């Protein structure tokens, strides 16, 4: 793939034996991205217990930016991303019901970047725990389209 401005930003390093993103034809899928900077989680804990919804929204924003960096690293010269699907995992207990509010932190980033018409389909799923104790994890499916 050709280098681009987004590739100048460091692609988040895998925390295990996987790659940050893959591309098959024009479809790009990211690994689950957590709110890490320089390889370190910015926040740990379960939402609604150790982490507030507002903190989790901010964490989701960081995680989706990491996913965008990973996805953009696979674009060729003259291509841009079109996000098709986003899955947001929220570490919480069984009584937590504000998954969508947490996921809106990531959607806000995508809306600012691609416009409201560029928002992907989205799922927000509650889970008991995520890698490293992260409160959120985000995976994107995107399409590489001509600029």
């Amino acid at each position: 793939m050709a280098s681009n401005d987004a590739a100048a930003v460091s692609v988040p390093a895998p925390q295990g034996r996987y790659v940050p993103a893959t591309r098959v034809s024009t479809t790009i899928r990211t690994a689950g991205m957590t709110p890490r900077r320089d390889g370190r989680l910015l926040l740990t804990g379960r939402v609604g217990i150790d982490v507030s919804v507002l903190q989790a929204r901010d964490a989701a924003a960081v995680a989706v930016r990491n996913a965008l960096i990973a996805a953009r690293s696979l674009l060729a010269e003259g291509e841009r991303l079109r996000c098709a699907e986003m899955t947001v995992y929220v570490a919480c207990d069984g009584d937590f019901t504000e998954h969508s509010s947490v996921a809106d932190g990531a959607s806000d980033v995508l809306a600012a970047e691609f416009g409201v018409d560029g928002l992907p389909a989205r799922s927000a799923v509650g889970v008991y725990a995520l890698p490293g104790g992260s409160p959120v994890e985000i995976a994107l499916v995107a399409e590489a389209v001509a600029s």
Side-chain angles (χ1 to χ4, degrees):
M1 300 291 138
S3 68
N4 54 51
D5 293 337
V9 178
S10 294
V11 174
Q15 302 298 306
R17 197 168 177 183
Y18 61 90
V19 295
T22 61
R23 179 173 176 162
V24 176
S25 186
T26 59
T27 301
I28 297 172
R29 296 179 187 277
T30 71
M33 295 289 167
T34 54
R36 291 180 185 272
R37 284 203 185 113
D38 301 321
R40 300 187 66 186
L41 272 174
L42 301 179
L43 185 65
T44 60
R46 291 175 40 216
V47 183
I49 298 169
D50 314 298
V51 175
S52 72
V53 170
L54 183 58
Q55 288 173 307
R57 283 176 63 98
D58 291 345
V62 173
V64 80
R65 285 187 189 101
N66 287 339
L68 288 171
I69 291 166
R72 284 188 171 127
S73 75
L74 298 181
L75 292 175
E77 193 70 35
E79 292 181 327
R80 63 179 174 78
L81 280 183
R82 180 189 169 281
C83 292
E85 182 180 9
M86 176 170 62
T87 304
V88 180
Y89 300 95
V90 180
C92 58
D93 69 14
D95 295 329
F96 186 78
T97 60
E98 295 182 65
H99 307 81
S100 191
S101 294
V102 172
D104 282 345
S107 291
D108 289 348
V109 170
L110 297 180
E113 187 132 349
F114 301 107
V116 174
D117 291 338
L119 285 172
R122 182 183 88 186
S123 298
V125 181
V127 298
Y128 186 77
L130 290 167
S134 178
V136 296
E137 182 174 27
I138 294 178
L140 284 179
V141 177
E143 200 72 22
V145 297
S147 295

